[in-house]
Every structure is written in C-alpha cells, then in structure tokens.
C-alpha cells in the first residue's frame, strides 16, 4: 500500500436541483485515476446508505488533488490534477484486439 492520499470532489445535483459538491478522502492508492474510481465507489455507497435519489455524479466536473503533508504536520492540497490524468484509462484498440486473439 502506498502513502498517497487524494481528495476527490464530485458535483451532483440534489433532488431539489441544487448543485452540491461532495469530497472524498482516498488513501493508499497508486495514482489519480485509481483515486477517482475509489471515490466514485465511496460516493455510491454513501448515496445508498442515505437513500438519496439525486443525480449521478457529474463525471465531467471531477476534481482530484493530492494531499501533501509537510515535515511539521501541516497539510495542503496540490493543484487539481488535469482531467485526462485523473480519468480512468480505457483499453486501447490494440489491447482489445490482443485480448480477442488470446481468447481464441
């Protein structure tokens, strides 16, 4: 497990139409894409527990930042990670073709 900590924010529209931003602290994941996936799972569980019937998180407006502690114990956040780096990677056409060949 790594020492990486991430703060991930999702916007979602409440049942009455107000945009609300929910933040999740994700610990021990390797990179920003993995942090985003973990936070999405946390958001889903939290919504189920609360019985919320609002919209899905706006995946176009996800904010991912690294949590950075300094030697004195103070904590700060990095600049937001660019969306392309925080997005879970999709399999490429080459890897999909390779998987299909292996399955034959």
């Amino acid at each position: 497990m790594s020492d990486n900590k991430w703060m991930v924010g999702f916007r979602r529209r409440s049942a009455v139409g107000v945009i609300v931003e929910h933040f999740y602290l994700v610990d021990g994941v390797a990179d920003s894409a993995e942090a985003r996936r973990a936070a999405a799972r946390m958001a889903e569980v939290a919504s189920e527990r609360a019985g919320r019937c609002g919209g899905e998180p706006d995946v176009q407006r996800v904010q991912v930042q690294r949590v950075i502690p300094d030697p004195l114990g103070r904590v700060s956040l990095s600049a937001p990670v660019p969306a392309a780096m925080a997005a879970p990677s999709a399999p490429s056409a080459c890897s999909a073709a390779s998987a299909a060949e292996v399955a034959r």
Side-chain angles (χ1 to χ4, degrees):
M1 190 175 287
S2 71
D3 292 331
N4 292 332
K5 290 186 171 99
W6 302 85
M7 179 71 72
V8 182
F10 293 104
R11 285 187 180 178
R12 97 175 24 202
R13 193 168 295 278
S14 72
V16 294
V18 176
I19 295 175
V20 179
E21 197 147 4
H22 297 265
F23 288 90
Y24 298 89
L25 183 61
V26 179
D27 188 11
V29 296
D31 59 27
S32 58
E34 193 174 339
R36 180 180 175 159
R37 286 189 296 272
R41 287 190 302 270
M42 294 165 76
E44 184 178 324
V45 168
S47 290
E48 288 173 2
R49 282 186 185 158
R52 291 187 194 125
C53 49
E56 291 295 314
D58 183 352
V59 294
Q60 300 301 319
R61 302 230 181 186
V62 176
Q63 181 176 323
V64 180
Q65 294 174 274
R66 184 183 298 263
V67 177
I68 306 167
D70 72 8
L72 298 176
R74 296 177 296 209
V75 177
S76 61
L77 295 172
S78 71
V81 174
M85 291 178 65
S89 59
S92 69
C94 294
S95 63
S98 299
E101 290 173 3
V102 170
R104 288 185 200 166

